[in-house]
Amino acid sequence: MSTRPDLVGVVASARTMGTLSILAGTTGALPVLLGHTQGMSGAAITTSALLLFGLPFAWFAGPRRTWYRERLEAATPTPPGAVVVSRKDEYRRVTEPLTKGVIVVLVVELFVAFMTGVPIGLALSGIGAGLLSQAHWLARQERKRGVRTVCPLSPGRVAADDPHLSVYRAVPFFTDSGHAPADQPESRAH
């Protein structure tokens, strides 16, 4: 048994969280998108929608890349004894700890959109689109480097006394030479 957190593919993690964010955010904005505007003008709704989606997208697709780049440059080989989650289990392992939080966020988004006419869920959709942009960039970096990149799998909500708290906060990246980069068949692994 490993004394470290399990490791999951960085590309898969970003793709999964991005996709989940887009789905939850767009669903949370549906009342407004379907015409429940609470009397707001079309210009006000369009402006709020562009800002709500555009600012988070711009942050996650742009300046946030520095965060990923720094971790890629500092990536070290996977520690001995570390458990790397298989590709077929990544989606499930990443989404399981997020399920309850996504449901709560979705309810809040629907409530705000219905009561105010502001498509607040588009902010989460913007984050998700930015994460998908990062996942695409990360996959390209993995292909260039010829190695899969993994990071610690967070359990979602982390207790203050969790022995792995510092690892979850640092989010170190590791290179997993035993597996091919994202979007390449496992048989191409070195």
Side-chain angles (χ1 to χ4, degrees), residues 25-68:
T26 304
T27 303
L30 273 179
V32 178
L33 299 175
L34 293 175
H36 189 77
T37 61
Q38 291 294 69
M40 289 178 64
S41 71
I45 291 170
T46 302
T47 301
S48 67
L50 287 172
L51 288 173
L52 285 168
F53 180 87
L55 291 176
F57 172 77
W59 172 254
F60 274 84
R64 185 71 170 166
R65 180 149 306 158
T66 302
W67 184 88
Y68 285 104

Side-chain angles (χ1 to χ4, degrees), residues 107-190:
V107 168
V108 170
E109 288 173 345
L110 286 168
F111 178 78
V112 170
F114 185 77
M115 297 305 289
T116 67
V118 176
I120 196 76
L122 291 180
L124 188 57
S125 292
I127 291 169
L131 282 169
L132 289 177
S133 170
Q134 293 298 359
H136 179 73
W137 179 81
L138 287 163
R140 193 169 53 244
Q141 295 304 308
E142 283 188 350
R143 286 190 300 275
K144 283 181 185 176
R145 296 166 190 252
V147 66
R148 182 177 181 220
T149 309
V150 294
C151 65
L153 174 64
S154 174
R157 185 174 180 174
V158 181
D161 62 346
D162 189 305
H164 305 299
L165 182 61
S166 63
V167 174
Y168 296 135
R169 285 185 175 161
V171 194
F173 285 6
F174 301 100
T175 56
D176 180 20
S177 59
H179 296 89
D183 301 330
Q184 291 184 4
E186 289 292 329
S187 61
R188 292 189 189 172
H190 302 293

